[in-house]
Amino acid sequence: MLEKLTEKAAEALYMNPGMHIESNREIMIENCRRIEEYNDIYMRLVSGRLVVMIWGSGLRAYDYKTKGLIVRGKITQIEFIERNSRNDAKSAERLSED
């Protein structure tokens, strides 16, 4: 019950990710909560209930301060994985063990 209420609140407050892709050179992701992994060929981002994985070359992150993120470079692939609270808790436990 609480999970459904939280999901409805996130939708009402526009906390879900919004994305704008411009060609294969730029993607703007709104509500990006954190960057989990980042190098010039791969980025793994958490945005709302999604994990966004971006592959390409010359990837750079810009403008993270505005609760959004702009990724520029040559983007070759974008993949989305839906997160759930159980997986998040398990990930946090593993990170604290390391």
Side-chain angles (χ1 to χ4, degrees), residues 47-64:
S47 182
R49 296 192 49 88
L50 289 178
V51 173
V52 181
M53 294 175 288
I54 303 168
W55 286 270
S57 60
L59 299 177
R60 298 280 181 253
Y62 297 92
D63 200 23
Y64 186 68

Side-chain angles (χ1 to χ4, degrees), residues 15-28:
M15 298 190 70
N16 287 326
M19 295 176 207
H20 175 77
I21 300 172
E22 188 171 315
S23 184
N24 68 334
R25 296 290 180 181
E26 181 177 283
I27 181 170
M28 184 177 75

Side-chain angles (χ1 to χ4, degrees), residues 15-79:
M15 298 190 70
N16 287 326
M19 295 176 207
H20 175 77
I21 300 172
E22 188 171 315
S23 184
N24 68 334
R25 296 290 180 181
E26 181 177 283
I27 181 170
M28 184 177 75
I29 304 167
E30 297 172 352
N31 297 321
C32 181
R33 287 203 273 171
R34 73 178 175 267
I35 300 170
E36 288 190 331
E37 193 173 338
Y38 172 28
N39 59 49
D40 65 337
I41 60 170
Y42 174 74
M43 287 189 188
R44 180 180 169 102
L45 316 167
V46 175
S47 182
R49 296 192 49 88
L50 289 178
V51 173
V52 181
M53 294 175 288
I54 303 168
W55 286 270
S57 60
L59 299 177
R60 298 280 181 253
Y62 297 92
D63 200 23
Y64 186 68
K65 291 185 269 184
T66 60
K67 296 287 183 185
L69 181 69
I70 297 173
V71 176
R72 292 187 180 125
K74 185 176 181 185
I75 299 168
T76 57
Q77 184 177 342
I78 302 170
E79 185 177 344

